[in-house]
Amino acid sequence: MVETKPESSAPAEEFEPTPVRSGKNPRPGPLRRTGKFLARVFGPGDLTTGGLLLPALITGAVSAVAVIVRLFVPGPVGMGDQGDGHALVCSLGVSNDRPWDYGEFTRFIYPSWVPHEFVGEACGAAGSGEPVYSSQLAFLWLGKLITPLLGWGPGLDTRAVGIVCCLVFGALMAALVAVLPGRASFRILIAALVTVVMADGIFADFFISPYPEAAAFLGTMALMVALLHYWNGRGNRWLALVFVLGAGAFTLAAKPEMVSWLPLIAFALLWLPESPSRRSGRRLPPKTWWRKRILPLTAVVAIAVISVAVLSFQPKRTVDVNLYNAVFAELLPHSPVPEEDLAWLGLDPGFLASSGTTVASPKSAVLNPKFHEFQEKLGPAKLAGFYASHPERLIGMGERGITAMLTPELGYIGSFMEGQGQEPFGKDRRFPVVLGLYTAMKAVPVALVAMQLLTLMLGLAVAFRKRAAVGRLAVVVVLAGWLQFWVVMVVSGQPEIYRQLVISGFLGALCVPLLVALISILASNPAAHKLSDPAATGPAAR
């Protein structure tokens, strides 16, 4: 019998089949690691809503005090006036106590407005005297009421307006904590990040100024809170719609350019909230498409009527100046074929001599004998039609706009009061978080668009996978920022582009707290959305 040697056994690993790759990276990337950290420390947990009254009140109070300290310690800071503020504030019967020379009063802020009686066209839009309306007048009126109580004399002091704006912002932060889903630490984190954005000087300094940007910022925040409440599906549906309409009307009335919010408000109202249809443990028959949407559609019609009314009350002079700037300061100077553009618009070739001018320039087209043709033939619709048929022009316009949006600091007006030991035209950089972020992005402007796209995609993921209202809010905020950007670029033109785009910059900066919220929600794998309010399952919620 031949003895057989046992075969040498090779390591088992050599003969094991190679496992099929699962597609998962064994080492999580930085985004996933950041998400897991946020989920572990500040994660939302179950996406329940309601409750947390005391944390909300404390957060609101701390936010208000933080912004007040930010604006007033060690000395007040604000936004210098170029003269535009007079058209709005003079309707309260006050005149700015400042030097008369333009080069002098733009160097510092002059917050004191003393009682004054205006006659004729001295008050209103420059050049026409038409009254100027804005929801900012509500803050200005409240500031005028408390100015004497704070010891700043009769009339109006914009420092008092700043205090009013800070208190309103604190109330909005309390409301934000109340309507956000998740546990207290998560809600407070998001409110704190929003406060950090608002406290940057490029935004907060508008609180102490006669400009309507403060109303635009706070109106936007109020609209975000109202939409979260609406999408949460808690409480009375009528009341939730009224909140959205009120916040939307205030936001739209802040500035004419805020009309860009109209399609987004309509979209948000028709994006119906998730709410169960149960009563006494029994599922009700499903509602028809019209029954579900009759209230939102009514609200959409109402907000459209409000928008038309707001635009109809805007001074015609302002509309004409914006159209002039859009053509002679934006379209023609950057056109490769300006003669053909004038022909498309139906304008005389002689207008080419006014390319690159404003209405106040020595070669202004206003001095052209045929300027009446410009007024008769050109309007916002005609301008929009031009860019629709020349979409390639939007590329260069978009590049210039993004560069301007990433340069939000208005270096041509001062931020400090005279006598504070600051240089003329000195800018407030006490808390330059957003300014630093945008300055860094200016080297690679596409980073801003990438951040917005990431916010949009994660927002859609949270909205449809987690059914959380925060995802819907992220989608609306990103789209609102883009619409606001293009409305300013197409309609307003180059003059004052830095100040006009500051609202788009604000919406872009809000992507940071929204990204933190979205990543945390996706990484924490929270349970399905729950309504902690028993009334939400009753007929009022439906």
Side-chain angles (χ1 to χ4, degrees), residues 49 82 88 155 171 216 295 359 364 397 399 416 439 461 466 469 493-494:
T49 57
Q82 293 178 278
L88 179 64
L295 284 180
V359 291
S364 172
M397 179 186 288
E399 292 176 349
F416 298 92
T439 302
K466 307 297 182 181
Q494 284 292 317

Side-chain angles (χ1 to χ4, degrees), residues 53-404:
L53 177 60
L54 183 59
L57 294 176
I58 294 175
T59 302
V62 171
S63 297
V65 171
V67 181
I68 289 176
V69 171
R70 158 75 182 77
L71 289 175
F72 286 91
V73 178
V77 291
M79 196 65 65
D81 181 21
Q82 293 178 278
D84 296 341
H86 168 79
L88 179 64
V89 185
C90 66
S91 60
L92 297 176
V94 291
S95 177
N96 200 193
D97 185 11
R98 68 185 185 194
W100 286 103
D101 183 74
Y102 180 87
E104 293 291 327
F105 69 71
T106 54
R107 298 188 304 168
F108 300 99
I109 63 170
Y110 294 91
S112 178
W113 293 70
V114 297
H116 185 82
E117 183 177 350
F118 294 94
V119 179
E121 297 181 358
C123 179
S128 68
E130 298 170 276
V132 178
Y133 299 102
S134 168
S135 51
Q136 177 69 15
L137 284 171
F139 297 146
L140 294 170
W141 180 77
L142 290 173
K144 185 179 179 182
L145 284 182
I146 67 173
T147 292
L149 302 178
L150 297 174
W152 287 321
L156 167 67
D157 196 298
T158 51
R159 288 173 290 183
V161 180
I163 293 176
V164 170
C165 291
C166 291
L167 295 177
V168 172
F169 176 72
L172 290 174
M173 289 302 96
L176 181 64
V177 172
V179 298
L180 278 171
R183 55 191 183 188
S185 59
F186 171 76
R187 303 190 197 189
I188 294 173
L189 170 65
I190 304 306
L193 292 175
V194 173
T195 302
V196 168
V197 171
M198 189 77 260
D200 195 292
I202 58 178
F203 306 130
D205 285 6
F206 279 101
F207 284 2
I208 301 181
S209 81
Y211 292 131
E213 273 73 10
F217 296 146
L218 296 175
T220 297
M221 294 303 309
L223 188 54
M224 291 169 60
V225 170
L227 288 175
L228 281 175
H229 175 64
Y230 172 73
W231 285 323
N232 285 341
R234 301 181 72 246
N236 188 285
R237 190 178 178 190
W238 279 96
L239 192 57
L241 283 171
V242 170
F243 287 161
V244 175
L245 285 177
F250 187 92
T251 305
L252 291 168
K255 297 183 63 177
E257 293 81 8
M258 297 303 288
V259 72
S260 61
W261 265 105
L262 174 60
L264 272 305
I265 296 175
F267 169 71
L269 287 171
L270 294 176
W271 197 353
L272 298 182
E274 298 287 343
S275 58
S277 298
R278 293 179 180 273
R279 180 184 297 168
S280 302
R282 294 182 299 173
R283 183 175 295 276
L284 295 175
K287 293 183 178 180
T288 63
W289 190 94
W290 283 107
R291 285 189 62 192
K292 288 182 179 180
R293 290 167 175 79
I294 186 64
L295 284 180
L297 286 172
T298 303
V300 169
V301 173
I303 200 69
V305 171
I306 291 172
S307 301
V308 172
V310 167
L311 292 177
S312 65
F313 281 114
Q314 295 303 318
K316 185 178 183 301
R317 171 70 175 178
T318 302
V319 177
D320 293 341
V321 169
N322 285 339
L323 282 174
Y324 185 100
N325 292 335
V327 174
F328 293 100
E330 167 60 44
L331 193 155
L332 295 179
H334 299 100
S335 171
V337 285
E339 298 87 351
E340 296 180 10
D341 294 345
L342 286 174
W344 193 99
L345 295 172
L347 299 178
D348 187 87
F351 282 114
L352 187 59
S354 299
S355 175
T357 66
T358 65
V359 291
S361 300
K363 295 183 178 181
S364 172
V366 175
L367 305 176
N368 191 313
K370 297 184 178 181
F371 185 68
H372 66 280
E373 296 182 4
F374 173 85
Q375 295 175 306
E376 294 170 357
K377 295 182 179 180
L378 202 67
K382 187 72 172 288
L383 202 58
F386 174 85
Y387 285 110
S389 61
H390 299 76
E392 71 280 0
R393 302 289 184 84
L394 298 177
I395 299 175
M397 179 186 288
E399 292 176 349
R400 293 189 295 274
I402 292 177
T403 301

Side-chain angles (χ1 to χ4, degrees), residues 326-533:
V327 174
F328 293 100
E330 167 60 44
L331 193 155
L332 295 179
H334 299 100
S335 171
V337 285
E339 298 87 351
E340 296 180 10
D341 294 345
L342 286 174
W344 193 99
L345 295 172
L347 299 178
D348 187 87
F351 282 114
L352 187 59
S354 299
S355 175
T357 66
T358 65
V359 291
S361 300
K363 295 183 178 181
S364 172
V366 175
L367 305 176
N368 191 313
K370 297 184 178 181
F371 185 68
H372 66 280
E373 296 182 4
F374 173 85
Q375 295 175 306
E376 294 170 357
K377 295 182 179 180
L378 202 67
K382 187 72 172 288
L383 202 58
F386 174 85
Y387 285 110
S389 61
H390 299 76
E392 71 280 0
R393 302 289 184 84
L394 298 177
I395 299 175
M397 179 186 288
E399 292 176 349
R400 293 189 295 274
I402 292 177
T403 301
M405 192 166 71
L406 293 176
T407 314
E409 196 173 48
L410 309 184
Y412 47 85
I413 50 179
S415 296
F416 298 92
M417 292 182 65
E418 192 172 9
Q420 287 183 304
Q422 300 290 336
E423 294 292 327
F425 301 103
K427 296 308 297 180
D428 168 32
R429 298 190 182 97
R430 298 176 183 176
F431 196 70
V433 177
V434 178
L435 178 62
L437 175 65
Y438 279 4
T439 302
M441 284 184 172
K442 198 172 180 181
V444 187
V446 72
L448 174 64
V449 181
M451 182 178 71
Q452 293 174 318
L453 283 173
L454 179 61
T455 305
L456 179 65
M457 290 187 294
L458 294 183
L460 290 170
V462 170
F464 290 104
R465 290 176 53 189
K466 307 297 182 181
R467 298 186 180 275
V470 178
R472 300 182 180 209
L473 183 65
V475 172
V476 168
V477 167
V478 172
L479 295 179
W482 288 346
L483 278 179
Q484 175 73 18
F485 175 88
W486 285 112
V487 165
V488 169
M489 293 304 300
V490 171
V491 177
S492 298
Q494 284 292 317
E496 283 295 302
I497 188 173
Y498 299 101
R499 200 188 104 202
Q500 295 288 2
L501 286 175
V502 74
I503 300 170
S504 298
F506 179 69
L507 291 167
L510 287 176
C511 289
V512 175
L514 286 172
L515 273 175
V516 172
L518 297 171
I519 294 172
S520 182
I521 290 174
L522 289 172
S524 61
N525 193 25
H529 178 67
K530 299 177 183 179
L531 298 173
S532 61
D533 183 6

